[in-house]
């Protein structure tokens, strides 16, 4: 009979052996495993039923070909994916990412994180993620439309309002969701809330575009409140300049903080006097309508553009990594700490490397991991699903209040499971709290 070796080291070794060539997936699981192992050991029912092993193997992975034609008539082939990772607490839920770096390991890390994040929101949503290595940069609207239609022509067989509900992520915003949902509705011949992040005219929710960024800022407010502080007057670095970065910046400005950086994959812009509302409007138009580069923003306002550089060497109190995974490495964490940064709220998914996370923990700063801090986006997706099922639309204020309440709740759960003698281990708190609900549902279902 196979001997079960229950040590953390052998678990990680097995995971790497069974999932070769997926470093981001290994990283995401390692972070969770390190935090929940003592909890699992203290509750043998999880270990005896090999719950964590089951939780790290997706229910299913759908991999398909996406063929489309560009404006000059040339045919292209991309990969399409949907990872339906765990559905024990609700329909699979999670975004679609279109970016050339997308591969199986990246989407498995994102879908795995999504299981615990969705559990934390308290709403009934399982974990999923999907996307393609298609690069929307430089493509015309009609090329993006043809790609989205081809992608959905296959994906529609695998999703549905009670099965799997995709949304946006990097490279998938309002325009793409419109094309994707339009094709879904046409093929399914029914109007159901099978995508979230939809336009307001066709079933979208107020505040969904803002929700991830606003929610991350609300989470930071909750963390600061544990030290009797708030965001007023705080100097904040933000990375990225897409959906999450834009609404993080908007809420920070509204709360009286000073946003001193934005970035994209070409480099960062330093705004020593703080981003103004007028400048943010310019960035939104540049990125969402004209689809330009952040350098153009620096040039338009005579600001310093730091080619190829991240914002983390800029002095700040609070940092909001809002671009992509592993954008905040050990050296960046060291620079932030040396400059006195004491709040890091992750708007992106897994932006901090394991070594960076360790430094933040040792320094006992307020470090809010993505699966807690950025859960506002998927939470309001859940609220969009509820509105679609009820066939009504809540007001902006109602939805924003729900978002605030959910972020406060998530913060409370992190404190409950992560409180240590002299600081709150939010990484442990988020992982254990997210795990318990899913694990107990898995136990209830028996060996499946
Ligand atoms: P967008 O596509 O709107 O914006 C992405 C931003 O990140 C752009 O500024 C982009 O720059 C930058 N970026 C992307 N890849 C890289 C890279 N390899 N290096 C440096 N910069 C990069 O995506 P979102 O704002 O929606 O997503 C940002 C992050 O937030 C992701 O980690 C996503 O998973 C996470 N997230 C998103 C949610 C949502 O609701 N949208 C919810 C929760 C988390 P460039 O234009 O040069 O590519
Ligand atoms: O990472 C995420 O939580 C998202 N991209 C949002 C997912 C969703 O279904 O709204």
């Amino acid at each position: 009979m196979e001997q079960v070796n229950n040590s953390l080291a052998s678990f990680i070794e097995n995971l790497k052996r069974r999932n070769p060539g997926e470093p981001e997936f290994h990283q995401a699981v390692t972070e969770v495993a390190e935090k929940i192992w003592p909890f699992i050991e203290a509750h043998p029912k999880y270990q005896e039923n090999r719950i964590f092993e089951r939780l790290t193997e997706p229910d299913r992975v759908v991999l398909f070909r996406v063929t489309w034609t560009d404006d000059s008539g040339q045919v292209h082939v991309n990969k399409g994916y949907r990872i339906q990772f765990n559905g024990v607490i609700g329909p699979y839920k999670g975004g679609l990412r279109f970016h050339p770096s997308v591969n199986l390991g990246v989407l498995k890390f994102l879908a795995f994180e999504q299981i615990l994040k969705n559990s934390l929101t308290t709403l009934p949503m399982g974990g999923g993620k999907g996307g393609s290595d298609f690069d929307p940069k430089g493509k015309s609207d009609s090329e993006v439309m043809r790609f989205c239609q081809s992608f959905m022509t296959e994906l529609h067989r695998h999703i549905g309002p009670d099965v799997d509900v995709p949304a946006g992520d990097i490279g998938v915003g309002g325009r793409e969701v419109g094309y994707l949902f339009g094709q879904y509705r046409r093929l399914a011949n029914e109007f159901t809330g099978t995508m979230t992040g939809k336009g307001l005219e066709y079933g979208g929710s107020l505040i969904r575009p803002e929700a991830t960024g606003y929610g991350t800022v609300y989470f930071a407010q909750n963390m600061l409140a544990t030290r009797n502080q708030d965001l007023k007057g705080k100097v904040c670095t933000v990375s990225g300049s897409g959906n999450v970065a834009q609404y993080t910046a908007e809420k920070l400005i509204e709360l009286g903080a000073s946003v001193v950086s934005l970035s994209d994959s070409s480099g960062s812009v330093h705004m020593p006097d703080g981003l103004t509302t007028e400048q943010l409007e310019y960035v939104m138009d540049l990125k969402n309508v004209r689809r330009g580069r952040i350098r153009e923003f620096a040039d338009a306002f005579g600001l310093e553009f730091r080619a190829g550089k991240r914002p983390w060497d800029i002095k700040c109190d609070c940092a909001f990594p809002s671009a992509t995974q592993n954008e905040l490495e050990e050296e960046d964490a060291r620079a932030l700490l040396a400059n006195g940064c004491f709040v890091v709220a992750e708007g992106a998914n897994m932006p901090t490397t394991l070594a960076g996370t360790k430094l933040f923990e040792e320094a006992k700063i307020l470090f809010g991991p993505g699966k807690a801090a950025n859960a506002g986006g998927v939470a309001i997706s859940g609220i969009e699903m509820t509105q679609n099922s009820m066939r009504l639309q809540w007001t902006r204020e109602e939805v924003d209040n729900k978002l605030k309440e959910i972020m406060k709740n998530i913060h409370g759960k992190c404190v409950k499971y992560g409180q240590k003698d002299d600081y709150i281990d939010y990484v442990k708190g988020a992982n254990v709290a997210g795990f318990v609900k899913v694990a107990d549902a898995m136990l209830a279902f028996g060996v499946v």
Side-chain angles (χ1 to χ4, degrees):
M1 210 177 96
E2 187 197 350
Q3 285 294 307
V4 181
N5 179 345
N6 286 329
S7 79
L8 173 62
S10 73
F11 174 83
I12 301 289
E13 195 188 305
N14 260 324
L15 179 96
K16 291 183 175 168
R17 188 176 45 74
R18 298 215 323 264
N19 302 277
E22 299 177 1
E24 293 87 358
F25 180 57
H26 304 161
Q27 182 184 338
V29 175
T30 300
E31 183 218 272
V32 175
E34 283 177 352
K35 291 295 177 181
I36 65 167
W37 215 257
F39 181 82
I40 291 179
E41 282 177 340
H43 300 83
K45 60 184 176 180
Y46 299 126
Q47 206 154 45
E48 282 156 15
N49 287 283
R50 303 180 84 163
I51 291 294
F52 198 60
E53 257 160 299
R54 287 199 248 163
L55 190 63
T56 50
E57 199 61 61
D59 288 355
R60 78 181 59 76
V61 173
V62 185
L63 229 170
F64 51 99
R65 181 181 69 246
V66 188
T67 314
W68 58 281
T69 309
D70 69 21
D71 289 344
S72 68
Q74 210 182 322
V75 175
H76 296 262
V77 182
N78 282 99
K79 284 182 179 293
Y81 304 83
R82 186 71 184 167
I83 320 283
Q84 298 180 332
F85 215 122
N86 187 295
V88 296
I89 64 167
Y92 304 108
K93 181 83 197 86
L96 296 171
R97 177 177 291 191
F98 292 169
H99 193 272
S101 63
V102 162
N103 58 40
L104 185 61
V106 166
L107 293 180
K108 277 173 68 182
F109 117 64
L110 289 162
F112 176 72
E113 289 275 295
Q114 200 83 44
I115 304 169
L116 302 175
K117 184 195 303 191
N118 293 2
S119 163
L120 280 173
T121 64
T122 71
L123 302 173
M125 300 183 289
K129 201 88 185 191
S132 174
D133 58 356
F134 173 74
D135 186 359
K137 273 200 199 83
K139 305 288 190 301
S140 70
D141 285 353
S142 55
E143 286 172 332
V144 170
M145 179 186 74
R146 284 195 295 278
F147 175 82
C148 288
Q149 290 177 341
S150 180
F151 184 88
M152 186 53 85
T153 300
E154 175 57 35
L155 186 68
H156 94 280
R157 305 173 214 285
H158 310 288
I159 62 176
D162 298 316
V163 179
D164 184 352
V165 182
D169 192 81
I170 292 178
V172 178
R175 173 183 63 171
E176 290 74 18
V177 170
Y179 294 145
L180 289 162
F181 183 71
Q183 183 74 347
Y184 177 81
R185 197 206 61 79
R186 184 182 178 199
L187 292 167
N189 194 29
E190 60 179 26
F191 199 110
T192 53
T194 300
M195 297 266 324
T196 60
K198 299 186 293 296
L200 284 179
E201 308 79 7
Y202 53 94
S205 175
L206 288 159
I207 299 284
R208 176 60 189 90
E210 296 89 340
T212 309
Y214 281 15
T216 305
V217 176
Y218 296 153
F219 195 84
Q221 278 185 308
N222 279 285
M223 290 201 293
L224 278 161
T226 66
R227 297 191 184 177
N228 298 317
Q229 295 199 42
D230 59 30
L231 280 161
K232 200 168 169 50
K234 295 284 186 300
V235 175
C236 302
T237 44
V238 176
S239 67
S241 48
N243 172 271
V244 179
Q246 291 169 16
Y247 289 106
T248 295
E250 183 172 280
K251 185 54 76 176
L252 285 172
I253 294 172
E254 187 190 318
L255 293 172
S258 175
V259 176
V260 294
S261 72
L262 287 171
S263 70
D264 66 16
S265 55
S266 313
S268 49
V269 184
H270 185 196
M271 298 85 75
D273 300 328
L275 182 73
T276 64
T277 305
E278 181 206 356
Q279 287 172 339
L280 179 58
E281 266 172 35
Y282 181 96
V283 170
M284 287 184 170
D285 180 65
L286 175 71
K287 285 288 168 181
N288 310 344
V289 182
R290 292 189 280 136
R291 300 186 189 276
R293 309 300 301 155
I294 202 69
R295 171 175 217 136
E296 296 167 51
F297 161 63
D299 293 346
F301 289 89
L303 294 161
E304 181 199 357
F305 179 69
R306 301 144 32 100
K309 281 185 88 175
R310 297 161 174 173
W312 313 128
D313 59 317
I314 297 170
K315 189 172 166 53
C316 67
D317 304 305
C318 315
F320 292 83
S322 314
T324 193
Q325 64 271 10
N326 293 329
E327 57 161 318
L328 202 165
E329 298 182 81
E330 190 174 3
E331 280 316 299
D332 302 314
R334 224 182 281 285
L336 283 168
L337 292 171
N339 278 328
C341 171
F342 72 105
V343 178
V344 177
E346 294 187 333
N349 286 307
M350 205 171 73
T352 311
T353 59
L354 286 174
T357 302
K358 204 150 261 150
L359 284 182
F360 291 149
E361 278 174 22
E362 281 162 13
K364 300 184 177 177
I365 64 163
L366 298 168
F367 174 61
K371 65 173 72 72
N374 73 38
V378 74
I380 300 308
S381 277
I383 297 291
E384 181 172 332
M385 289 164 72
T386 306
Q387 293 170 82
N388 291 164
S389 300
M390 296 169 81
R391 300 191 194 285
L392 49 71
Q393 195 167 55
W394 289 326
T395 65
R396 205 180 153 80
E397 202 189 358
E398 275 174 300
V399 180
D400 198 22
N401 284 337
K402 284 187 200 300
L403 176 61
K404 285 180 187 155
E405 201 182 297
I406 289 170
M407 297 317 296
K408 191 170 189 251
N409 247 317
I410 295 175
H411 181 268
K413 286 192 200 177
C414 291
V415 174
K416 178 176 170 194
Y417 289 98
Q419 181 77 59
K420 300 216 163 151
D421 287 346
D422 57 347
Y423 90 113
I424 300 159
D425 182 345
Y426 286 94
V427 180
K428 177 179 175 213
N431 286 330
V432 175
F435 172 76
V436 172
K437 181 177 177 188
V438 177
D440 288 348
M442 289 172 78
L443 281 179
F445 288 0
V447 181
V448 286

